[in-house]
Amino acid sequence: MSYTCPYKKILSLAFVALSISLGMVEARSRGPKERKHLNFSKLHVDQLCFPENFYFGFAIAEQQNSGAENLPDSQWSRWEKTNFPNGKPHIRDNQRSGKACDHWNLYKKDIALMKDDFQANAFRFSLAWDRIEPQEGQFSEEALQHYSDEVDALLDAGIAPMITLHHFAHPIWFEDKGSFEKEENIVYFVRFAKKVFEKLGDRVPFWCTINEPTIFVFQGYLAFNCVFPPGKADGIFGSFPLATKVLRNLLQAHTEVYQALKAMPHGNTAQIGLVHQYLSFHPWGVITPIESFMQWCLNEFMIDSVINFLKTGTFRYKWRCFFEETYHAPIDKASSKPAAQQISDFVGLNYYSRVLIELKYTHLITLRFSTMLGSSPNHGETMTDMEYAIYPEGIYKALHHMSTIGLPIYITENGIADHNNAHDERRVRWIKEYLKAVSLAFEDGVDVRGFFYWTLMDNFEWDRGFHSTFGLYSNDLATQTRTLKEGGKIYRDIIQAYRAGGHRLATADAH
Ligand code: FCB
């Protein structure tokens, strides 16, 4: 994961010149006013404020919770069995997901936990497209019925289902056709979305089209971090034009699914949105023009490209004479609805932390990320197992920035990887501080309507296998026994205090 270049001086000058000529970031339109000082010390659960009818729930992904044995036809199930060209396994320690938490067969048990232990009222889960359409054009009635039963079980428990149509995994046949690298493949995703909406649209209030387009692209196509399928690295930054094209196509796919489902029965009442991970990059230490430029490039691609698209309906990413990708969503300019409301009903915010970047000036220039710098303390902050810090200020800032889109926000993922089940203090602290940050943003006037903790129980964390444990329950893979952690108890206390009215604030009072 390192970027090296022998022509240090030439590159520095070129970067500075480019940063000037590109004109940096578009001026940010105004949202509610941000506070200057945030204080997270000595928090008590009843000091938090959330709007009325706030959703408290959990997020999972089918691939991570049901594993390759339940989902043999997804590209991820194939990926976990294969190696990189250098022989290194795709998954850390060559682990296999097996049935993971076997959510496919044990979903009733999981729903009972959410209801009885938490009084949760929302659950975000993804559908296995590969199980519903294992061969191109052949839909499995059994798989569709499975999800219909799961939706009914959730509704019976008083839990609102939020479905994600694409959460990193898709059928092998779709992967082998070139997946989202080709604009002409979008029709397959739209057809799948319509099929499931036909079956479930009468009962499911929330729909996420695509999970984290920028992360899908970053992990699967950018040369310096290619740990997801299809793992298309082609030299230093060589896959950047393809990555940009995939991002463009994902945004088009979102729009086409949104508009197709809106036109179907129940489309008007369903809330349909895109999920964006707000992953920001900051210089590690001394800031030079090169660091500033790298920071700007990364944030422009990973954050602003999607926020600007959701605001305006236009995706445009251009690298001067090198390449350009543009997509204009069909927006009715004569409509009284702003562009944002013509392509999404809400926006899902996934927030974890920030990444620090550093350029090492030796005989070569090396770009390093904080994720590569080991778990040493990072500016005195407490680190998580994922080698980034606990950073609640970040979710506060992200909420303010995302609020400029002008759509309601659901926090569709937020959670911490911490392997130390016996001493779960970091998770306890994370949950209190991040929820405090959410509560402060709400008090400022940000329209945030729900929080989905990532994740219900320890599951298969993509390329990291079972090593990164985000769950509120630990899970014994042999017996499928779920055990509540201390972090789970604090989340439960917050939800219960909210239900008891201890820290509810009516929207009208807060704004
Ligand atoms: C997000 C993914 C989710 C999980 C968490 C830790 O980027 O959407 O599936 O991997 O990170």
Side-chain angles (χ1 to χ4, degrees):
M1 247 181 31
S2 72
Y3 166 59
T4 54
C5 175
Y7 309 111
K8 182 174 145 187
K9 281 192 185 133
I10 300 173
L11 200 73
S12 319
L13 287 172
F15 277 173
V16 176
L18 255 177
S19 71
I20 295 163
S21 66
L22 281 166
M24 296 307 193
V25 211
E26 175 198 296
R28 203 183 273 189
S29 46
R30 280 186 184 280
K33 199 165 181 288
E34 282 182 46
R35 310 159 188 245
K36 289 215 170 59
H37 303 289
L38 298 170
N39 182 4
F40 296 105
S41 62
K42 297 199 185 101
L43 277 178
H44 196 265
V45 293
D46 60 12
Q47 294 165 333
L48 306 174
C49 295
F50 301 104
E52 281 202 274
N53 304 318
F54 195 72
Y55 286 95
F56 278 107
F58 309 88
I60 70 157
E62 190 77 275
Q63 183 75 35
Q64 292 176 270
N65 282 54
S66 295
E69 278 182 36
N70 282 309
L71 313 170
D73 298 312
S74 83
Q75 102 281 28
W76 258 101
S77 299
R78 178 171 70 181
W79 179 258
E80 71 169 48
K81 294 185 206 106
T82 47
N83 296 338
F84 288 106
N86 64 7
K88 228 179 118 201
H90 285 147
I91 312 295
R92 192 178 288 181
D93 293 343
N94 206 6
Q95 282 187 339
R96 295 286 181 274
S97 58
K99 290 188 173 173
C101 327
D102 204 12
H103 177 76
W104 183 271
N105 294 303
L106 300 177
Y107 69 83
K108 287 189 185 141
K109 171 169 163 166
D110 294 340
I111 293 172
L113 294 179
M114 293 189 273
K115 178 176 180 245
D116 301 339
D117 286 356
F118 287 93
Q119 297 178 30
N121 60 351
F123 181 49
R124 173 175 177 238
F125 62 106
S126 65
L127 304 185
W129 177 3
D130 43 280
R131 190 83 198 230
I132 294 175
E133 193 182 356
Q135 302 297 326
E136 183 189 336
Q138 289 174 22
F139 289 90
S140 155
E141 197 40 52
E142 181 231 334
L144 286 165
Q145 191 53 44
H146 168 89
Y147 284 118
S148 180
D149 295 344
E150 182 165 353
V151 164
D152 285 342
L154 284 164
L155 294 171
D156 285 348
I159 298 175
M162 176 183 268
I163 281 182
T164 306
L165 290 164
H166 189 276
H167 194 128
F168 298 160
H170 51 233
I172 287 172
W173 63 261
F174 183 72
E175 180 82 342
D176 291 345
K177 274 182 179 300
S179 76
F180 293 104
E181 289 165 23
K182 297 188 179 146
E183 192 184 335
E184 62 265 30
N185 288 346
I186 294 172
V187 287
Y188 301 108
F189 183 54
V190 177
R191 179 176 65 180
F192 156 70
K194 286 170 79 175
K195 190 83 183 170
V196 294
F197 198 78
E198 223 168 67
K199 183 89 179 172
L200 310 173
D202 58 337
R203 285 158 292 150
V204 175
F206 298 108
W207 294 80
C208 303
T209 53
I210 294 170
N211 182 66
E212 300 184 346
T214 49
I215 301 293
F216 178 80
V217 157
F218 192 72
Q219 304 280 59
Y221 292 90
L222 288 180
F224 45 85
N225 197 3
C226 236
V227 289
F228 278 20
K232 286 207 176 154
D234 184 18
I236 297 160
F237 292 129
S239 49
F240 201 41
L242 180 59
T244 310
K245 179 188 267 204
V246 176
L247 180 57
R248 177 219 173 274
N249 290 344
L250 286 165
L251 298 177
Q252 178 174 344
H254 156 77
T255 312
E256 290 193 13
V257 166
Y258 176 82
Q259 294 183 337
L261 303 192
K262 280 284 154 191
M264 290 174 68
H266 311 290
N268 267 342
T269 47
Q271 295 296 295
I272 306 170
L274 181 78
V275 172
H276 182 38
Q277 183 176 150
Y278 195 101
L279 182 65
S280 58
F281 294 82
H282 304 261
W284 175 273
V286 182
I287 306 171
T288 68
I290 301 180
E291 255 100 344
S292 303
F293 180 66
M294 292 310 297
Q295 172 192 6
W296 173 75
C297 285
L298 287 161
N299 288 338
E300 229 273 315
F301 187 76
M302 297 297 288
I303 299 181
D304 296 307
S305 64
V306 173
I307 292 187
N308 290 337
F309 166 72
L310 286 168
K311 262 186 218 168
T312 62
T314 293
F315 171 81
R316 185 152 183 266
Y317 200 86
K318 184 173 171 169
W319 263 71
R320 288 286 148 172
C321 51
F322 300 117
F323 67 91
E324 176 175 351
E325 287 294 342
T326 312
Y327 169 61
H328 296 288
I331 300 290
D332 177 1
K333 294 218 168 83
S335 161
S336 58
K337 269 190 180 181
Q341 289 174 25
Q342 296 184 41
I343 53 173
S344 253
D345 299 320
F346 69 88
V347 55
L349 164 62
N350 289 359
Y351 188 87
Y352 290 89
S353 187
R354 61 179 175 169
V355 173
L356 302 179
I357 56 173
E358 176 191 63
L359 287 170
K360 289 288 277 178
Y361 300 97
T362 50
H363 61 293
L364 302 175
I365 296 178
T366 311
L367 173 63
R368 311 202 302 166
F369 295 94
S370 57
T371 47
M372 304 158 60
L373 294 170
S375 54
S376 60
N378 175 346
H379 293 332
E381 295 163 332
T382 305
M383 304 301 289
T384 71
D385 286 356
M386 296 282 272
E387 294 143 1
Y388 49 63
I390 298 181
Y391 185 59
E393 294 86 345
I395 196 169
Y396 175 83
K397 288 179 203 297
L399 278 164
H400 270 277
H401 189 185
M402 297 276 280
S403 75
T404 62
I405 297 169
L407 293 172
I409 303 172
Y410 291 86
I411 295 160
T412 36
E413 281 181 32
N414 174 255
I416 177 176
D418 184 355
H419 66 282
N420 197 343
N421 291 349
H423 301 282
D424 203 26
E425 291 96 15
R426 285 187 296 174
R427 194 176 328 268
V428 169
R429 180 172 153 204
W430 177 288
I431 291 173
K432 283 162 102 176
E433 296 188 0
Y434 277 68
L435 277 171
K436 177 68 181 173
V438 174
S439 146
L440 291 174
F442 162 64
E443 288 182 87
D444 296 344
V446 172
D447 185 4
V448 53
R449 300 192 182 179
F451 179 91
F452 295 71
Y453 182 83
W454 183 273
T455 184
L456 186 62
M457 69 201 67
D458 296 342
N459 62 13
F460 194 75
E461 178 53 32
W462 309 112
D463 57 300
R464 292 168 184 252
F466 290 110
H467 288 293
S468 293
T469 50
F470 281 85
L472 294 181
Y473 295 88
S474 57
N475 185 44
D476 180 327
L477 292 172
T479 59
Q480 293 295 347
T481 308
R482 292 45 162 145
T483 308
L484 194 62
K485 303 179 191 173
E486 286 305 311
K489 294 181 188 159
I490 198 79
Y491 190 48
R492 174 197 65 195
D493 291 350
I494 289 171
I495 299 175
Q496 290 181 354
Y498 172 80
R499 297 264 178 270
H503 56 293
R504 174 183 301 201
L505 203 70
T507 313
D509 297 341
H511 291 190

